[in-house]
Amino acid sequence: MVNSLRRRCGWLLRPVVAHIDTTTKASVSAKIRWRSYFSFGSSPMRFRVRESKVPCPTILETIRYRFFSSVSASKSRIGFVGWYMRKLDTHPFITKSITSSLIYGASDLTSQMITMPSPGSFDLIRTTRMTAYGLLILGPSQHLWFNFMSTISPTRDLLSTFKKMFLGQAVYGPIITSVFFSYNASLQGESGREIAARLNRDLLPTMLNGLLYWPVCDFVTYKFVPVHLQPLINSSFQYVWTIYLTYMASLKAVEIN
C-alpha cells in the first residue's frame, strides 16, 4: 500500500512547472516555447503540453541589434576605437570637427600627390587651409545638419531616407559647396567679383558631378548609420569627394576684363 501511494503521489516531489526553450540558431522560423504544467480538475490528474510561438525579429532588426551591440561593446574596450566612441559620447561637437579636419587635410595631401608635377613639393599652406575648413566649418555644420535631419525625420524608412537625401542635395550640398569655394578663394586673395565669377563657373558643374556620387553615399548614411556616427561616415565619403573639390578650388581665378 505504501509503495502504491508513493507511485501515485511521487509527482509531488517533482517541479510543478517545467519551462524549456528550444531555439535553432540559424533558423528563421518562429521561436517555440514549451510549457508543461499540471491541471487540477474533476478528472484524474492530467499532464498537458502547450505550445506557444513567438515571432522572430526580422533580418534587418537582427543586423541593427548586432551593430548597436558591437558599438556599445566597443565603448568599453581599451584601444583607439573604444576611446573614439567615448569621445563621441562625451564631446561630440569637437570630436566630429577634429575628425573632419584630419580627413580634409589627408584628402588635400592626396590630391596634391595626384596633381603634383615632377619635381614638386607640397603646398602646406593649402593643406592648412583645408584642415582649418574641416575643423571650423565642415565638422560643425555636419554635426548640426545630421542632428537636424534626425529631429525632423527620426525614422529610417525609405520615404524618410529619400526625403533626407533630397534635402541634402537641394539645401546642404549647394550651401556647403558655395562656402567652400568662397572660403578657399578669399584666403587666396581673390576679390568679391572674382569669387562670384568662380562660383558662376565652378558651382553648377561641381553640383552636377556630385549627383553621380552623393545620392548613393547619402542613402547608405541615412538608412543604415546611427546619427552620432553619420558625420564620420559622411566625412569618409568626403575623402574621395574632397580630392576632386580641392582640385577644382586650386584652378586659376577667372580673368575679368
Side-chain angles (χ1 to χ4, degrees), residues 42-99:
S42 57
S43 58
M45 202 70 65
R46 296 194 303 267
F47 182 81
R48 295 180 182 177
V49 177
R50 182 178 63 189
E51 174 183 339
S52 61
K53 295 183 179 181
V54 180
C56 279
T58 63
I59 296 177
L60 183 58
E61 290 174 345
T62 303
I63 294 174
R64 287 179 180 174
Y65 172 77
R66 292 180 179 178
F67 178 80
F68 287 127
S69 298
S70 62
V71 170
S72 300
S74 66
K75 294 179 183 179
S76 59
R77 294 175 185 170
I78 299 175
F80 176 77
V81 175
W83 173 83
Y84 184 81
M85 297 302 298
R86 289 192 296 271
K87 290 299 179 182
L88 277 178
D89 284 342
T90 57
H91 302 89
F93 190 85
I94 188 63
T95 301
K96 296 171 186 177
S97 299
I98 293 176
T99 301

Side-chain angles (χ1 to χ4, degrees), residues 61 79 97 103 107 143 162 201 226 241:
E61 290 174 345
S97 299
I103 292 176
S107 62
H143 173 77
F162 284 120
R201 181 192 68 181
W241 182 246

Side-chain angles (χ1 to χ4, degrees), residues 52 113 135 210:
S52 61
M113 291 175 61
L135 177 66

Side-chain angles (χ1 to χ4, degrees), residues 196-228:
R198 175 184 288 274
L199 291 175
N200 186 56
R201 181 192 68 181
D202 297 339
L203 181 60
L204 183 58
T206 301
M207 297 305 303
L208 291 177
N209 290 333
L211 291 177
L212 303 176
Y213 178 74
W214 278 113
V216 176
C217 301
D218 287 345
F219 180 82
V220 173
T221 302
Y222 288 120
K223 181 65 176 175
F224 302 108
V225 181
V227 177
H228 68 289

